[in-house]
């Protein structure tokens, strides 16, 4: 909604949305390969557009980082219901979603530092992350608990925090396999035989 005029903001054309998605995907790949300080010209080349096109969509690097982060949070959030609907067991859906969440966490080269900066563009991202992903994880946990596949006392925020802590430094030590430990954690959510 355009608050100044009281009119609905114009929707982007389908090709403009596709172009923006292409830019976000290219930026995410560049951030993964080289960190968030990768030159914009490299992102533009990967997306097959000119540098001006990137700046037209994202006037500052902070705008681009925020858009990539939101894009990836949305992809993770949308995956939860899709995995539940795919017909596998609720525990399998939870495990696959946690695997996607781990991918999200361990591929944020430089994003953590950027998010800790004083740039106002980054201030609301952590709340956005929690508001979008905790309910998805909660639904997966509730469905798995209702099916008797995970312990009912597991809380989404605690699980996500634990997974996040296991992922700290995952890319810096080749002897440390965060994904293996997260897999053990997810298997440990199953109820014991006495329960």
């Amino acid at each position: 909604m355009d608050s100044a005029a009281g009119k609905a903001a114009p929707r982007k054309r389908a090709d403009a949305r596709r172009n923006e998605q292409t830019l976000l995907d290219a930026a995410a790949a560049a951030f993964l390969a080289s960190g968030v300080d990768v030159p914009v010209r490299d992102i533009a080349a990967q997306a097959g557009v000119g540098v001006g096109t990137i700046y037209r969509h994202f006037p500052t690097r902070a705008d681009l980082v925020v858009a990539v982060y939101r894009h990836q949070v949305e992809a993770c959030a949308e995956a939860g219901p899709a995995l539940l609907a795919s017909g596998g067991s609720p525990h399998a859906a939870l495990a696959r979603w946690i695997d996607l969440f781990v991918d999200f966490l361990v591929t944020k080269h430089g994003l953590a530092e950027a998010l800790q900066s004083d740039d106002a563009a980054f201030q609301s991202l952590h709340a956005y992350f929690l508001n979008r992903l905790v309910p998805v994880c909660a639904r997966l946990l509730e469905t798995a608990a209702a099916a008797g596949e995970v312990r009912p006392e597991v809380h989404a925020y605690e699980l996500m925090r634990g997974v996040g802590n296991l992922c700290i430094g995952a890319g810096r030590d080749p002897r440390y396999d965060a994904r293996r430990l997260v897999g053990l954690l997810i298997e440990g959510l199953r109820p014991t035989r006495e329960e």
Side-chain angles (χ1 to χ4, degrees):
M1 187 66 117
D2 181 356
S3 58
K7 299 177 187 173
R11 291 184 45 87
K12 290 184 180 181
R13 294 186 336 245
D15 62 329
R17 286 191 306 274
R18 277 192 308 275
N19 289 344
E20 188 171 298
Q21 292 300 112
T22 300
L23 291 175
L24 292 173
D25 291 340
F31 291 168
L32 174 59
S34 304
V36 295
D37 293 325
V38 63
V40 173
R41 69 180 171 278
D42 293 357
I43 297 169
Q46 190 162 344
V49 300
V51 173
T53 300
I54 291 181
Y55 284 118
R56 190 168 37 260
H57 287 277
F58 310 104
T60 68
R61 180 174 299 274
D63 293 332
L64 180 59
V65 170
V66 167
V68 167
Y69 185 85
R70 286 179 175 265
H71 175 63
Q72 292 179 326
V73 167
E74 285 305 312
C76 198
E78 291 168 4
L83 289 166
L84 278 176
S86 70
S89 75
H91 185 273
L94 173 65
R96 181 67 190 120
W97 187 83
I98 290 292
D99 198 44
L100 293 171
F101 182 58
V102 169
D103 288 343
F104 174 81
L105 295 174
V106 300
T107 59
K108 299 294 167 263
H109 297 274
L111 258 182
E113 292 83 12
L115 295 175
Q116 297 300 321
S117 78
D118 292 333
D119 193 314
F122 301 129
Q123 299 302 315
S124 65
L125 282 182
H126 186 68
Y128 175 76
F129 168 85
L130 293 175
N131 290 339
R132 287 296 289 138
L133 297 184
V134 170
V136 173
C137 186
R139 180 168 175 226
L140 288 159
L141 280 168
E142 290 162 4
T143 304
E149 296 179 0
V150 300
R151 299 167 190 239
E153 71 274 7
V154 179
H155 300 284
Y157 178 79
E158 292 172 329
L159 176 60
M160 291 175 65
R161 182 87 188 247
V163 168
N165 287 339
L166 288 173
C167 292
I168 293 172
R172 293 190 296 265
D173 185 349
R175 299 170 299 166
Y176 180 64
D177 185 356
R179 193 172 304 282
R180 187 179 78 75
L181 289 176
V182 169
L184 291 171
L185 172 65
I186 299 307
E187 280 304 309
L189 297 178
R190 291 188 184 275
T192 59
R193 297 215 188 274
E194 296 87 41
E195 292 182 65

